[in-house]
Amino acid sequence: MSENLQQAAQGRAASVVELAQELVRRPSRAGIDDYGPVLGVLEDWLTARCVPNRRLLDDAGHLVGLLAEIPGGRPGPWWSLDACVDTAPYGDRSAWSFPPASGDVVDDWLLGRGSADSKLAAAMFCHIAADLMPRAADLHGGLAVLLDVDEHTGGFGGARAYLADEAAARPAGVMIGYPGLDDLVIGGRGLWRASIALYAPSGHSGSSKTVVGAISRAAHLVRLLDAAELPGVDGASAFPLPPKLSVTSLHGGQGFSVTPDRCDLNVDVRTTPGFDAHDAENLIRKAVAELDAEMPAPQPTEISPVASWPPFRLTDGEEPAAALLGAAAEVGLTLRAKTAGPSNIGNLLAAEGIPATAGFGVPYEGLHGTDERAHLAELPQVYAVYHRAVLSLLRAG
C-alpha cells in the first residue's frame, strides 16, 4: 500500500484514547445503566465528522445499538467492524484501586470498566470509519460499524437488530474488536443451554417419614451429568476443542423445616461439530430419564431449552480472517489463529452464515473483574492492522 498507515495510526492514537476516555466515563453496565449517554458521545463524535449513523432499536423499541455506515462508490460486498459499548458490572467497588468509571491514563494504561471490553475498540473503529469517508467514492461495497449496547446481557440485541434491519446491507463478514494482542479468534465452541425443573413430594424436615426431596433428586441428577461421557477432540472435523458440560445454577427450598417440592438447575453444554446441539439435548434427556426411573416423583422432570448456537471455525484463507492476518504480518505482528472455548457474537453470526473474527486488540488486565485496564502502547499497531484489513477488503471488490 502506498499510504503509510502505521504513521497515520500513530497520529490517530491520541484521538482514539481521548474518545475512549469519554466512553469509559459514561457508565453503561448491562441491564443497570441508561445507554443513552454513552451512545450520545459516539453519535456526537460521528456526526461532527459527517459519518452517517443511526440508532438501532429492538422489537420492543429499546435502544440496543448504534450503526454507522459508509457506502463505497463502487459495487462490492459490505464488511462490518463490531464493538460493544455496554459493560460488565463493577462488582465490589471497594476492591478497585481506582474508580471503575475512571477513564484516566496512568503509565500507558487506560483505566476503568469497559476500557478493554470494548470501548477502546469502539473508539478505534469510529476513527477508522472517519478515515474512510474522504475516499469512500473509490471503495467497493461499504463498511458498517456496529456499536452494540446489548452484548453483556447475552442478548446481543444490537447485532440482532442490525441483521434484521432491512435498510442495512448484509455484511459479507464481521471483525469483532475484543481485546488481546497475540491471538485472532477464528472460531468458537457452540452452546446448548437448558433449565431443568425437578419435582418431589414436600414434607417436614423433622417428620418421621422419609421424603426424598427435590434437592436430593437434583443432586443425583448433577452426579449423573458430571459422570456423563463426552467425546474428545474430533480429528475428522479439525475442530481443536472437545465438548464440555457444566451445571451452572441450582436453586430450591427456603429455610430449614420444609423439604421442597421443586428444585431448578441450569445446564450449559459447549458443543462442537462432532457433538452438536442435538447430541447435547439427547445426553441431558438420557440423564433425566435415568433419574426419573431410579427416583420416581409425582411429576416428570421438565427440560426447557433456553438457547442454542452452532460452533464455528473459519477455514484457511477465509475472509475477513485472511485480511487481518495479512495486515498483522505487514506491521510486524505474528498472530495465532485460535478457536476459543467460550462462545461470542461470532456464533450468532455463524448461525446466519456470516463469517466473523474476534479477539484481536490491545493487551489488557481485569476483564470483567477488578481494575479493568487496557494497555495503550500497542494501540497504533492494532489500529494499523484493522485499517489495512478494512482497506484491503474494500479495495478488492
Side-chain angles (χ1 to χ4, degrees), residues 5 80-82 121 124-125 128 174-180 183-184 323-324 327-328 331 357-362 380-393:
L5 294 182
S80 178
L81 296 170
D82 172 28
M124 179 174 61
F125 291 167
I128 290 174
V174 177
M175 291 164 276
I176 305 166
Y178 295 135
D183 301 315
L184 177 66
L324 278 170
V331 302
T357 63
F360 171 64
V362 299
Q381 282 183 300
V382 174
Y383 190 99
V385 169
Y386 276 107
H387 198 175
R388 285 174 181 267
V390 167
L391 278 177
S392 69
L393 293 168

Side-chain angles (χ1 to χ4, degrees), residues 221 224 284-295 301 303:
L221 178 59
L224 292 174
I284 300 301
R285 292 195 180 280
K286 179 180 177 182
V288 165
E290 183 176 345
L291 170 75
D292 285 350
E294 292 182 7
M295 304 175 71
T301 301
I303 302 171

Side-chain angles (χ1 to χ4, degrees), residues 119-165:
K119 292 181 175 181
L120 187 63
M124 179 174 61
F125 291 167
C126 287
H127 278 74
I128 290 174
D131 288 346
L132 293 181
M133 283 297 297
R135 63 181 75 185
D138 297 326
L139 301 178
H140 294 263
L143 175 71
V145 176
L146 172 63
L147 304 163
D148 196 339
V149 289
D150 190 37
E151 195 264 9
H152 283 82
T153 62
F156 300 139
R160 295 181 189 277
Y162 169 40
L163 296 178
D165 191 336

Side-chain angles (χ1 to χ4, degrees), residues 75-94:
W78 278 67
W79 303 89
S80 178
L81 296 170
D82 172 28
C84 61
V85 288
D86 66 332
T87 73
Y90 296 151
D92 181 4
R93 294 186 189 216
S94 66

Side-chain angles (χ1 to χ4, degrees), residues 307-392:
S308 179
W309 286 353
F312 78 101
R313 188 170 188 269
L314 276 62
T315 60
D316 293 342
E318 189 173 358
E319 299 291 12
L324 278 170
L325 291 169
E330 290 177 7
V331 302
L333 290 176
T334 301
L335 299 184
R336 294 188 299 261
K338 176 183 177 181
T339 301
S343 303
N344 57 59
I345 295 181
N347 296 87
L348 171 66
L349 295 167
E352 297 283 339
I354 300 171
T357 63
F360 171 64
V362 299
Y364 63 91
E365 293 180 357
L367 188 77
H368 287 201
T370 303
D371 284 355
E372 181 179 344
R373 58 183 186 166
H375 200 243
L376 300 176
E378 297 81 2
L379 175 61
Q381 282 183 300
V382 174
Y383 190 99
V385 169
Y386 276 107
H387 198 175
R388 285 174 181 267
V390 167
L391 278 177
S392 69

